[in-house]
Amino acid sequence: MNTNLAPILARSTGAADFSNDTIWVSVIKAVAILLFLLLSVLFALWFERRIIARFQQRLGPNVRGPFGLVQSIPDALKLILKEDITVKAADKVIYLIAPVISVFCAFMIYAVIPFGPMVELPGGFTTPLQLTDTPVSILYILGITGLGVYGIVLGGWSSGSSYPLLGAVRSTAQIISYELGMSLALVSVLLVAGSMSTSEIVNSQENLWWAFALLPAFVVYLISAFGEVNRLPFDLPEAEGELVAGYQTEYSSMKFAWFYLAEYINMLNVAAVATTVFMGGWRAPWPLVTLFGEGVDQGWWGLLWFILKIWLFMFLFVWVRATLLRFRYDQFMAFGWKVLIPVALVWLGLVAAFQGVRHFTSFDPTAIDVGGLSLRTVLFGIAGILIVVTIVMYLIPDRGKKPAVEGAGAKVPEPADEPFDAFAGGYPVPPLPGQKLPPSTRRARVTTPAAPAEDETTDEEKTDG
Amino acid sequence: MTNPYIPLLIMGGLALLLGVGGLAASAVIGPKRYNKIKVDAYECGIQPSPHSIGAGRFPIKYYIVAMTFIIFDIEVVFLYPWAVSFAELAGFGLIAMFGFLFLITVPFVYEWRRGGLDWD
């Protein structure tokens, strides 16, 4: 085997060793994970509101505590102090169980996520920074995600109301459709990593993160992740303009809080899985390893890299939410079934064929020499050139570009001679193509935009019980 | 710990405790003021339409999505063990899996062409 390309075929480099852990160590780790998740959600609420506010030229919560950091705590406490309403039409037992299923499944994913490598605690006790790892961890993650759908569908169904029911079936169809793209994207990683255990997958990325080697799979995974956690642009189950709050409409107090919490933990979950499977898990970014040596890739440093990578994904979620609009439902389902799944299938076929040729025939496509350079060098060179070209094209301003004509071959009508009446029929109407809006009589009022006001309560996503 | 599933049980127990505990806490702490309107279904302020449990209607499309999902999910579940033991199963496994993928793709294409994946 070509040693230069060994990382592409790194197989079974060993799972984390849990032999030192006793029951009590596991209990402590489990409590630590729960605390980490709860604090992360509180932080995520603040983080999202602040970032969204920045995108919208506002300030976001900035009064309580430094930078408004503790704003989420009273918000969360408020929910517990609200009245717990059970609607009349509800199926009482299932109505009560559904939010617990939701939050339970959200908490369980992190049990198999590696936060870091083996660390030594004071006293010489060594343990991996991971609760547990099984030979089928990835399958377990998908299974728990699938189980989490029950919380949503039962919650919406048992409310005995129209909006939650529609929100629940939408959400279910969405999650199961995008779970397919997600799980197909993961297969190609399992193929090259040769294991379903999360710690082994992280170990297999010692030299090369799978996000780079398997870029199409990573992209499919990332897009599916947005559908999986009901985030914009795929937040159709909670499309406020259509379904009030979707499956959560009839819930209040802590039951609502559990749904809300589960939603945010699910964001952390897909971010953690993306980090573990594609972005090298707790491994330090390799430029840092080159600069500072192997030390930054060991021990407690792993925790830092892991958390940084998670929050990179969380930032992406917020960024996309601030940038993109919501899809229409039929477009959204068509995208999942007609684009993501075929792409994932074709990519899987390519990876399998490539690996098959490498493993089972004497021909090694990665050992091809192109003018004395290895294939890897050539491919990296091409990728580098493409990146440079992309950046250059981005920097060149669009000059001399004609304005796009709306519609295929549509002709902009000639300006009508008659003056446009903005109040035809008594209602204000926008001008049609070709019509010109008469100058406002109140033009003198237009001045500079108002300075952003201090903003604490006008956030779009208030967590009202 | 030699059995990796015991920590999962511990985690599950704690998560369940937290979930049920939260509901219990809000049931104890929260106020209780009965109001006839408050326990009605929410329909943006209008009289809620009659809606009995189990009789809520939704478009048949969702059933079709669910059924197609089952086929593909089973496919994925078969792919996972093959992917993990790719090297051990060697060329036979690869060819068999391509055959399997082909068999799944044919009905997928059929459903696509018949409009089973169109929403309208």
Side-chain angles (χ1 to χ4, degrees):
Chain A
M1 191 187 294
N2 187 339
T3 48
N4 188 27
L5 285 140
I8 298 184
L9 272 175
R11 301 189 73 89
S12 285
T13 35
D17 176 24
F18 292 94
S19 54
N20 278 342
D21 288 17
T22 59
I23 292 266
W24 291 110
V25 174
S26 295
V27 171
I28 291 168
K29 281 180 178 175
V31 171
I33 288 174
L34 289 179
L35 284 179
F36 169 80
L37 287 176
L38 290 174
L39 289 178
S40 295
V41 169
L42 288 181
F43 183 75
L45 292 168
W46 173 85
F47 179 79
E48 176 165 25
R49 289 174 65 184
R50 286 289 286 199
I51 303 264
I52 280 278
R54 281 289 165 207
F55 277 114
Q56 299 168 349
Q57 318 264 318
R58 299 183 285 118
L59 287 177
N62 65 349
V63 175
R64 305 282 163 253
F67 307 109
L69 255 172
V70 298
Q71 177 65 46
S72 306
I73 296 172
D75 281 354
L77 274 181
K78 187 189 70 176
L79 281 171
I80 239 184
L81 299 174
K82 291 280 174 187
E83 180 174 358
D84 195 7
I85 300 169
T86 304
V87 286
K88 198 170 55 186
D91 185 323
K92 303 279 182 307
V93 179
I94 295 178
Y95 182 77
L96 189 69
I97 292 172
V100 180
I101 297 178
S102 230
V103 81
F104 173 81
C105 295
F107 277 133
M108 289 301 281
I109 304 277
Y110 263 79
V112 293
I113 299 289
F115 284 71
M118 287 296 259
V119 292
E120 194 178 325
L121 296 170
F125 181 76
T126 59
T127 181
L129 284 175
Q130 183 178 8
L131 176 61
T132 183
D133 194 8
T134 70
V136 290
S137 289
I138 296 291
L139 203 59
Y140 162 83
I141 287 172
L142 286 174
I144 291 284
T145 316
L147 206 60
V149 180
Y150 276 103
I152 289 171
V153 73
L154 290 180
W157 173 81
S158 66
S159 297
S161 174
S162 307
Y163 290 125
L165 181 72
L166 284 175
V169 287
R170 267 195 187 190
S171 188
T172 310
Q174 164 171 348
I175 292 180
I176 60 179
S177 302
Y178 277 66
E179 194 173 326
L180 288 180
M182 200 173 199
S183 37
L184 280 172
L186 290 177
V187 177
S188 54
V189 174
L190 305 184
L191 205 63
V192 286
S195 173
M196 274 196 264
S197 135
T198 44
S199 56
E200 273 187 56
I201 289 176
V202 171
N203 281 334
S204 72
Q205 301 177 74
E206 196 171 347
N207 297 311
L208 180 66
W209 294 356
W210 299 133
F212 301 109
L214 306 167
L215 186 66
F218 179 56
V219 172
V220 169
Y221 177 86
L222 214 54
I223 296 173
S224 313
F226 280 93
E228 190 80 8
V229 297
N230 302 339
R231 291 287 299 183
L232 266 171
F234 302 148
D235 69 336
L236 297 134
E238 296 155 47
E240 298 95 32
E242 302 164 30
L243 292 175
V244 189
Y247 58 91
Q248 318 167 334
T249 306
E250 300 292 357
Y251 280 92
S252 66
S253 187
M254 272 320 266
K255 296 203 197 90
F256 171 79
W258 282 154
F259 274 129
Y260 206 74
L261 189 79
E263 207 179 302
Y264 274 82
I265 295 178
N266 278 331
M267 276 165 68
L268 289 164
N269 286 341
V270 292
V273 175
T275 304
T276 304
V277 173
F278 289 105
M279 295 288 277
W282 43 262
R283 294 199 167 278
W286 69 96
L288 292 178
V289 181
T290 331
L291 276 178
F292 301 109
E294 286 291 315
V296 294
D297 211 1
Q298 282 156 6
W300 290 95
W301 284 102
L303 198 59
L304 176 71
W305 308 130
F306 177 75
I307 290 173
L308 279 182
K309 285 174 190 173
I310 287 183
W311 285 96
L312 199 71
F313 282 110
M314 295 297 276
F315 177 75
L316 184 73
F317 279 123
V318 180
W319 185 10
V320 168
R321 178 186 158 186
T323 311
L324 294 182
L325 297 172
R326 182 181 300 137
F327 272 47
R328 219 170 57 202
Y329 199 73
D330 58 330
Q331 294 171 335
F332 168 73
M333 292 305 273
F335 181 70
W337 285 98
K338 297 181 181 175
V339 178
L340 282 186
I341 290 175
V343 165
L345 272 176
V346 168
W347 172 250
L348 174 66
L350 287 178
V351 173
F354 181 83
Q355 291 289 65
V357 169
R358 282 209 67 183
H359 271 288
F360 312 135
T361 66
S362 52
F363 174 65
D364 187 352
T366 59
I368 302 170
D369 266 19
V370 185
L373 299 166
S374 76
L375 186 69
R376 189 187 198 189
T377 323
V378 172
L379 287 179
F380 268 118
I382 292 172
I385 291 168
L386 283 179
I387 289 170
V388 169
V389 168
T390 313
I391 292 170
V392 168
M393 283 172 74
Y394 183 74
L395 289 177
I396 294 173
D398 300 336
R399 212 178 303 148
K401 207 179 188 180
K402 282 176 189 147
V405 181
E406 283 188 26
K411 249 189 157 179
V412 178
E414 291 297 312
D417 286 335
E418 69 265 28
F420 170 64
D421 183 8
F423 283 89
Y427 294 102
V429 288
L432 292 171
Q435 287 180 323
K436 249 187 149 172
L437 199 63
S440 170
T441 50
R442 289 184 293 181
R443 185 180 261 175
R445 285 182 56 189
V446 179
T447 51
T448 50
E454 185 180 271
D455 172 345
E456 193 194 348
T457 51
T458 57
D459 237 16
E460 183 200 335
E461 285 242 347
K462 285 302 287 178
T463 56
D464 269 315
Chain B
M1 187 87 47
T2 46
N3 189 337
Y5 297 95
I6 291 174
L8 283 184
L9 286 180
I10 296 172
M11 186 77 188
L14 287 173
L16 210 59
L17 202 69
L18 190 68
V20 175
L23 291 191
S26 84
V28 172
I29 299 170
K32 280 164 205 68
R33 297 185 199 94
Y34 178 77
N35 184 319
K36 189 170 161 295
I37 305 297
K38 205 152 60 178
V39 296
D40 263 348
Y42 178 78
E43 286 198 14
C44 302
I46 61 165
Q47 279 288 325
S49 48
H51 185 103
S52 55
I53 277 290
R57 293 192 185 177
F58 50 86
I60 189 128
K61 286 300 304 179
Y62 293 103
Y63 288 106
I64 298 178
V65 168
M67 284 192 292
T68 317
F69 164 76
I70 290 174
I71 298 171
F72 269 88
D73 210 33
I74 289 172
E75 173 193 5
V76 170
V77 167
F78 277 123
L79 283 175
Y80 271 47
W82 162 74
V84 170
S85 45
F86 181 74
E88 289 83 350
L89 291 176
F92 172 74
L94 184 64
I95 290 162
M97 202 37 87
F98 271 123
F100 179 61
L101 281 179
F102 176 73
L103 288 181
I104 293 287
T105 310
V106 169
F108 180 62
V109 172
Y110 177 74
E111 188 186 351
W112 189 336
R113 294 298 300 269
R114 286 297 298 267
L117 301 178
D118 296 327
W119 202 255
D120 297 318

